[in-house]
Amino acid sequence: MNASNPKQNIWQVIFASSAGTLIEWYDFYIFGSLSLILAEKFFPDTNPTLAYIATLATFAIGFVVRPFGAIVFGRLGDMVGRKYTFLLTLLIMGGSTFAIGLIPSYATIGVFAPILVLILRLAQGLALGGEYGGAATYVAEHSPANRRGYFTSFIQTTATLGLFVSLGVILATRLLMTPESFNDWGWRIPFWLSIFLVMMSYYIRIKLHESPLFSKLKAEGKTSTNPLKESFGKKENLKLVLLALFGATMGQGVVWYTGQFYALSFLQNTMKIEFVQSNIIIATALLFGTPLFIFFGHLSDKIGRKKIMMIGMLVAAISYFPIYHAMDTTVDLSRKQEVVERYRIESTLTPHNGTLVETTRKTREFTDGTLVTEITSPDKKAAVKEVKLGQSQTIWIIFLVFVQVVFVTMVYGPIAAFLVELFPTRIRYTSMSLPYHIGNGVFGGMLPAIATLLVQKYNNHLAGLIYPVAIAIVCMVIGVVFIKERKTADGFEEDPEV
């Protein structure tokens, strides 16, 4: 059965839904992509490590509240409709992101800076909690049952593309101005751009029709009057919600954030890779990896969603420690030969907070092309170390990050179709949104902060991997044992209410 509206074909639906969702992810992720700068701007500079952890915790707050957004907007989407709900979430997200770019620094307004950031981050999390379920449900309900994996996989690309676009905008902004200007005020530009992207997306989405399956239920008077009670008050449906969380989205969430955000954090904070190069590495790996979301979504239509996701979690859990060890050894200076005659020290006067300060740069060069620079200035308590890899090392790191992105595409590509097919139309938005956002928002979103604390606790920069490996293994075991692939003779079960 093709459920698509003849006046609104599936590609129009995918484009409009994906464009808006991509922009919401862009809004959400520029905060994480700029976490080092935000820690400096919005938190006290007396303890840089604590400030960074506080920034990661604020970043994580946006994830933690996503399940509450799923409840609020999921209920609205199941009662009022998919279209108007994700129009509302789009406006909330865009307004909050733009406002973060307007907040004065901690040096200007003190403790009000982190408080305002926290409030806006909460609004972002609530909005995103309502966005994904609506977009995925909307596309799935326009798709034929035997191609849901393929069509919903385009929505699955938007989270990674949102991160890719955020990195691209940040890099473009950074390269168009001096590092000092970018650190002083230029970092705000990616936040300000959000308002134009949101207006464009709103214009595209306002022209959409409501989902045909939801319209049919509404016309027949069969929409849910209490989606929360039906989703979580009935034992049968609650069991499905819990299985979706602990047997699928929990592991998918940690694999997603390990392969993208933890990888970026590891490059910048552990390996000390220079800001521009570290972002280019992640962006390149994402560029090559993104088409695999569609590949694995399509493959799930042929062989099933579950086995692809479970294999992805297992292979990721087995591979993380070897991958990150290989990344780490790439910057092990004891393994490199220094070109002693190329060692140099440079002192320059650079603007900082309206005054000129002397900055000293000590640069060491190695035969493999690696450059290591230590930067000190009077207002810094310690030198800031930057590493710039040579060409062969850069390609190697891109490959190692790309492998992690492959794991991401395996667990994330099929999951929208998997969740949609798990629940009936009348409570689908609510039922699928909550486990998705707990799995991604709580288990996945807390990964940077938990991993950083584990590294601090065990004084081992690979200790942060304990968390995603453990969660992925537990989720994979639960999924294999308790979740059954839902198939019929034609490939997948049709919606029970259509």
Side-chain angles (χ1 to χ4, degrees):
M1 179 198 72
N2 191 332
S4 59
N5 189 318
K7 297 181 180 179
Q8 177 174 281
N9 69 45
I10 185 64
W11 295 110
Q12 289 175 315
V13 169
I14 289 171
F15 175 75
S17 300
S18 299
T21 306
L22 186 154
I23 289 167
E24 288 215 35
W25 283 113
Y26 162 83
D27 287 351
F28 200 69
Y29 285 137
I30 50 177
F31 191 99
S33 301
L34 291 169
S35 57
L36 282 173
I37 293 176
L38 297 181
E40 178 183 325
K41 297 299 178 183
F42 293 134
F43 292 90
D45 60 1
T46 52
N47 188 332
T49 301
L50 185 61
Y52 182 64
I53 292 174
T55 303
L56 290 180
T58 305
F59 181 61
I61 285 293
F63 292 95
V64 172
V65 300
R66 278 167 57 180
F68 297 99
I71 291 173
V72 172
F73 293 109
R75 178 178 182 273
L76 190 64
D78 280 327
M79 294 180 68
V80 177
R82 289 45 165 136
K83 171 187 170 179
Y84 291 105
T85 301
F86 63 38
L87 281 174
L88 178 60
T89 61
L90 178 69
L91 294 176
I92 294 173
M93 175 66 82
S96 300
T97 303
F98 179 74
I100 289 176
L102 301 176
I103 297 175
S105 67
Y106 185 91
T108 304
I109 61 173
V111 71
F112 290 105
I115 290 174
L116 288 173
V117 171
L118 179 63
I119 291 171
L120 292 172
R121 191 64 185 163
L122 288 169
Q124 284 186 318
L126 290 171
L128 192 59
E131 164 66 21
Y132 173 82
T137 299
Y138 189 74
V139 171
E141 290 180 352
H142 280 82
S143 306
N146 64 346
R147 300 198 73 193
R148 282 181 184 149
Y150 173 67
F151 287 129
T152 58
S153 67
F154 287 89
I155 289 292
Q156 301 308 91
T157 67
T158 59
T160 294
L161 287 174
L163 176 57
F164 179 82
V165 172
S166 78
L167 295 177
V169 171
I170 290 167
L171 281 173
T173 306
R174 165 64 179 78
L175 293 172
L176 289 172
M177 57 179 61
T178 65
E180 292 75 23
S181 296
F182 181 78
N183 288 334
D184 188 29
W185 66 272
W187 61 270
R188 297 180 182 273
I189 293 175
F191 289 93
W192 295 340
L193 285 176
S194 172
I195 199 70
F196 301 104
L197 297 174
V198 168
M199 289 169 62
M200 177 184 69
S201 181
Y202 185 85
Y203 175 76
I204 294 170
R205 280 190 170 184
I206 196 67
K207 297 182 177 182
L208 293 176
H209 303 292
E210 185 52 84
S211 153
L213 296 183
F214 182 83
S215 296
K216 183 174 183 292
L217 283 182
K218 195 168 186 178
E220 296 172 353
K222 294 180 179 179
T223 54
S224 176
T225 57
N226 193 338
L228 294 178
K229 184 178 179 180
E230 287 191 50
S231 294
F232 313 120
K234 291 184 177 181
K235 183 179 178 180
E236 298 79 7
N237 203 74
L238 179 60
K239 179 182 176 181
L240 293 176
V241 170
L242 294 175
L243 281 178
L245 171 59
F246 295 111
T249 62
M250 177 176 74
Q252 171 260 304
V254 297
V255 171
W256 203 100
Y257 290 103
T258 302
Q260 296 180 126
F261 270 106
Y262 189 74
L264 178 61
S265 175
F266 193 84
L267 290 176
Q268 293 181 342
N269 300 305
T270 300
M271 298 174 64
K272 304 298 182 184
I273 304 298
E274 184 263 338
F275 179 83
V276 171
Q277 189 177 49
S278 62
N279 281 279
I280 288 174
I281 287 170
I282 296 292
T284 304
L286 295 179
L287 180 64
F288 285 110
T290 297
L292 294 176
F293 286 106
I294 298 170
F295 170 76
F296 285 114
H298 175 67
L299 185 62
S300 76
D301 285 330
K302 306 297 182 183
I303 68 173
R305 331 289 188 202
K306 173 184 165 180
K307 59 175 64 72
I308 297 174
M309 295 189 297
M310 298 303 119
I311 291 172
M313 290 179 207
L314 177 62
V315 177
I318 293 171
S319 304
Y320 280 149
F321 276 102
I323 286 174
Y324 278 86
H325 177 73
M327 291 170 65
D328 190 39
T329 56
T330 306
V331 294
D332 184 354
L333 300 185
S334 66
R335 298 169 177 258
K336 301 178 185 293
Q337 181 179 351
E338 184 176 357
V339 184
V340 179
E341 61 270 21
R342 299 296 293 272
Y343 175 77
R344 58 189 182 273
I345 300 177
E346 303 166 307
S347 294
T348 57
L349 291 175
T350 56
H352 181 76
N353 291 335
T355 61
L356 292 177
V357 296
E358 184 179 27
T359 300
T360 302
R361 303 173 69 92
K362 300 178 181 179
T363 304
R364 300 166 65 193
E365 187 171 332
F366 297 82
T367 54
D368 64 359
T370 299
L371 293 175
V372 179
T373 304
E374 287 190 356
I375 306 168
T376 54
S377 59
D379 62 328
K380 305 270 186 183
K381 289 184 166 39
V384 177
K385 180 181 176 183
E386 283 186 355
V387 177
K388 190 168 185 179
L389 299 172
Q391 184 177 10
S392 60
Q393 288 72 35
T394 303
I395 293 172
W396 173 237
I397 296 297
I398 289 173
F399 171 74
L400 293 175
V401 176
F402 169 76
V403 172
Q404 297 177 64
V405 175
V406 174
F407 303 152
V408 172
T409 61
M410 291 180 71
V411 298
Y412 196 59
I415 204 163
F418 168 82
L419 292 173
V420 163
E421 292 168 344
L422 209 55
F423 303 104
T425 303
R426 57 187 282 113
I427 55 171
R428 177 173 289 146
Y429 200 147
T430 303
S431 295
M432 73 168 284
S433 292
L434 189 66
Y436 173 83
H437 286 294
I438 293 177
N440 284 265
V442 178
F443 288 98
M446 292 297 290
L447 188 149
I450 292 174
T452 302
L453 291 173
L454 286 171
V455 169
Q456 297 286 325
K457 178 178 174 63
Y458 294 106
N459 195 28
N460 182 331
H461 48 261
L462 295 180
L465 296 170
I466 295 171
Y467 175 72
V469 168
I471 295 296
I473 290 175
V474 170
C475 185
M476 185 271 300
V477 171
I478 293 173
V480 168
V481 174
F482 295 104
I483 294 181
K484 295 181 180 179
E485 195 80 74
R486 299 185 69 182
K487 283 190 175 183
T488 60
D490 66 350
F492 289 94
E493 182 177 341
E494 290 280 358
D495 192 295
E497 294 169 4
V498 176

